[in-house]
Amino acid sequence: MNPVNYLYLAALLFTIGASGVVIRRNAIVLFMCVELMLNASNLALVTFSRLHGNLDGQILAFFTMVVAAAEVVVGLAIIVSIFRTRHSASVDDSNLMKL
Amino acid sequence: MTSTGEAVQFWVLAVIAVGGALGMLLMKKAVHSALCLAATMLSLAICYLAQGAVFLGVVQIVVYTGAIMMLFLFVVMLVGVTSEDSLKEQLKGQRIGAVLCGLGFGVLLIAGLANARLSHFTGLSEANAEGNVQGLARLIFTKYVWAFEVTGALLITAAIGAMVLTHREKIREPLTQRQLADRRVRDNIQLPPLPAPGVYARHNAVDIPALLPDGTVAEDSVMGTLRERGQIRDVSQEMLQRMAELEESTADWLGRPSSARPQVAGPRQALETVPTPTKEEAE
């Protein structure tokens, strides 16, 4: 099997995640799409690590996971506090600045 | 080159991963999306394990599917399981445009990768010689130690941020049980405990109100939240129906004439709307 297959899979997952961010409206699902993109990049990094025969790629993937965890915690807290005030998790409803 | 076993494993996992990702994108309800994403993350974890990233594979399962996805599910439950995406478009044609952009992006990305000349993996046997975890630890605590320390600051900031964002100031002290009891006596509206929900010997679910002796519903027996939401299941009609059937079969068995059959008493509100079978027969 060609090593590039792993990269194709990563690219496909990243594309699905990126499309999801622009297609979906629910803020929670948007966050899941961002998580999917981060996961796809992690897969690419792990594959690069194996291609080059050193562990630097895995270290980068590890840091990505840490940042993703922090991001999710803050993001979900923001969603919860928006939901408390606006009673909606849809990103279309957050248009207070609009005339 | 890789082994045939790995190729088989890759294709199986790739199908699950892409299927899960598409499911996440297309499912209407957030809960279903979350479960689909969990499937994708698990299959990616096995991909990591197969590629020699043992530590990352385990961390992926523990942190992503264990912690992050459960946090997602927790928030979905908090925000409302039934919340669905609205299909109304704020910008005209935005969805179609988004799908086209996504397709274009994917084609560009994959066409770029297709130019790569990759035939074999160098393999991690040398890097993993003293163990994957040991190798990673050596790098984290030497070459990447600064990034690692910054990560600590990031995590603390995130934890404090989440606490600050979800914190609510108490406007007044909550009433104690003593004060509540005193108030109940003072107001003298409902001194004894509230009636329990459920219909004797038939239903005991909390959303089924108890019936008063005359067959009407005891509103107080269901908790306030369900009453507010209108999620009360009124079974008085059903009870009435069954009672009538019972009377009917008894009368049949005893061979009573229709004129001698007793009228079944029922809820006062219901009598006008739903005629009981005995009534119809009497006419």
Side-chain angles (χ1 to χ4, degrees):
Chain A
M1 191 186 67
N2 199 325
V4 85
N5 281 351
Y6 279 109
L7 300 179
Y8 283 142
L9 174 62
L12 201 55
L13 291 179
F14 193 92
T15 310
I16 294 173
S19 322
V21 171
V22 277
I23 292 172
R24 297 298 298 256
R25 290 285 175 285
N26 190 332
I28 301 171
V29 181
L30 288 194
F31 258 91
M32 289 185 212
C33 292
V34 173
E35 287 307 303
L36 182 65
M37 288 160 76
L38 288 169
N39 262 293
S41 61
N42 275 355
L43 178 64
L45 286 170
V46 169
T47 310
F48 288 148
S49 160
R50 191 173 168 208
L51 275 169
H52 290 282
N54 60 34
L55 292 175
D56 291 47
Q58 291 188 19
I59 297 275
L60 277 180
F62 172 73
F63 283 127
T64 312
M65 281 182 186
V66 175
V67 173
E71 171 243 332
V72 160
V73 167
V74 176
L76 290 179
I78 292 174
I79 290 177
V80 167
S81 64
I82 288 179
F83 184 79
R84 269 187 196 154
T85 49
R86 311 289 311 273
H87 294 285
S88 163
S90 171
V91 286
D92 271 353
D93 293 345
S94 302
N95 54 2
L96 276 180
M97 305 275 274
K98 206 165 142 188
L99 280 175
Chain B
M1 286 306 264
T2 52
S3 64
T4 324
E6 200 191 329
V8 172
Q9 184 209 37
F10 171 79
W11 288 114
V12 171
L13 289 176
V15 168
I16 297 174
V18 174
L22 284 177
M24 182 203 68
L25 186 61
L26 300 175
M27 290 284 183
K28 254 179 119 182
K29 286 188 179 166
V31 190
H32 297 159
S33 293
L35 292 177
C36 287
L37 187 59
T40 303
M41 285 175 171
L42 275 177
S43 56
L44 285 183
I46 302 171
C47 272
Y48 296 170
L49 290 173
Q51 298 216 65
V54 185
F55 180 68
L56 278 188
V58 175
V59 167
Q60 167 91 2
I61 293 176
V62 172
V63 173
Y64 266 109
T65 40
I68 294 184
M69 286 324 295
M70 290 315 114
L71 195 62
F72 266 115
L73 283 180
F74 192 79
V75 172
V76 167
M77 298 297 164
L78 214 64
V79 165
V81 197
T82 49
S83 68
E84 288 180 3
D85 258 16
S86 64
L87 293 171
K88 204 183 84 190
E89 290 198 347
Q90 295 276 350
L91 299 169
K92 222 175 155 71
Q94 190 261 352
R95 241 167 246 264
I96 298 166
V99 171
L100 286 178
C101 281
L103 278 178
F105 178 67
V107 167
L108 277 180
L109 209 58
I110 288 173
L113 281 176
N115 284 326
R117 293 270 174 275
L118 298 169
S119 54
H120 68 286
F121 285 114
T122 310
L124 285 170
S125 50
E126 203 178 308
N128 275 347
E130 50 174 356
N132 182 245
V133 180
Q134 281 82 354
L136 283 178
R138 194 175 292 282
L139 275 176
I140 285 179
F141 292 112
T142 55
K143 196 173 165 188
Y144 295 100
V145 70
W146 176 237
F148 185 66
E149 306 226 338
V150 173
T151 299
L154 176 74
L155 284 177
I156 288 179
T157 318
I160 292 175
M163 280 194 275
V164 169
L165 280 169
T166 52
H167 179 72
R168 263 199 282 203
E169 283 296 329
K170 241 189 291 180
I171 298 169
R172 55 171 191 279
E173 283 294 310
L175 293 172
T176 61
Q177 207 164 13
R178 177 88 239 166
Q179 287 166 319
L180 285 173
D182 286 347
R183 196 173 67 183
R184 214 155 62 185
V185 173
R186 209 166 44 239
D187 295 349
N188 197 21
I189 295 169
Q190 172 84 23
L191 266 181
L194 293 171
V199 180
Y200 181 62
R202 293 268 172 147
H203 304 273
N204 59 359
V206 284
D207 60 338
I208 292 176
L211 299 183
L212 293 173
D214 61 348
T216 48
V217 162
E219 289 275 337
D220 282 344
S221 63
V222 178
M223 76 179 196
T225 316
L226 293 177
R227 235 182 297 153
E228 286 283 316
R229 289 192 198 151
Q231 286 181 336
I232 296 179
R233 265 196 298 156
D234 183 5
V235 292
S236 57
Q237 296 294 318
E238 201 184 313
M239 295 288 290
L240 190 67
Q241 196 85 26
R242 285 200 199 156
M243 200 61 120
E245 279 167 17
L246 197 67
E247 285 290 346
E248 194 76 357
S249 62
T250 313
D252 283 345
W253 194 75
L254 290 173
R256 276 189 194 144
S258 57
S259 55
R261 292 183 181 195
Q263 291 281 320
V264 177
R268 280 180 306 196
Q269 321 140 314
L271 275 179
E272 296 91 42
T273 52
V274 182
T276 58
T278 37
K279 258 188 173 175
E280 278 168 29
E281 207 159 279
E283 284 161 24

